[in-house]
Amino acid sequence: MKAIVEFGIPKSALRHPAPCGLDSGSGIPFDSAALAAKAAAKIAHVLMKREEAYLPERFRVSRTQPRVTLWNRNRSAWICVSLLDGNPRGSFGGSPEARQGGH
């Protein structure tokens, strides 16, 4: 089943004043959840500044857990993988108030 990876930096973590955070826009779609999880782990390695080992298993989505979101320790970056199964979930958007799962 297809999946999408979204990632970004919230407004609160930007050094200069900005009207909103920075994110991946509409995300990056993948043909399978496994490919999305692998890509998310690689993005996490860079975006989270190697705080810990982000393995693809941390980003595995399924019908019972269709969205996985992880934040780094100081909430200055996030990565979200969502299953594209036809159920509307909206974009994650990256606000700390909307976070799900993670640390």
Side-chain angles (χ1 to χ4, degrees):
M1 186 163 298
K2 293 185 178 191
I4 192 162
V5 176
E6 299 170 278
F7 54 94
I9 301 168
K11 177 182 172 179
S12 61
L14 296 175
R15 293 181 187 202
H16 302 287
C20 61
L22 302 171
D23 63 36
S24 59
S26 59
I28 305 168
F30 290 87
D31 287 334
S32 74
L35 288 174
K38 286 180 184 178
K42 289 179 181 183
I43 293 167
H45 180 75
V46 174
L47 197 60
M48 308 299 193
K49 299 176 183 146
R50 300 183 309 171
E51 284 183 353
E52 61 183 86
Y54 287 94
L55 301 174
E57 291 77 28
R58 303 250 338 246
F59 296 98
R60 188 150 297 147
V61 291
S62 64
R63 291 186 192 273
T64 57
Q65 185 176 3
R67 177 174 273 171
V68 173
T69 303
L70 295 176
W71 285 81
N72 65 345
R73 289 185 182 115
N74 65 3
R75 302 290 191 239
S76 65
W78 56 272
I79 300 174
C80 179
V81 178
S82 300
L83 204 56
L84 293 176
D85 57 3
N87 293 319
R89 287 185 191 88
S91 64
F92 175 69
S95 68
E97 296 77 28
R99 69 178 173 258
Q100 301 175 18
H103 302 296

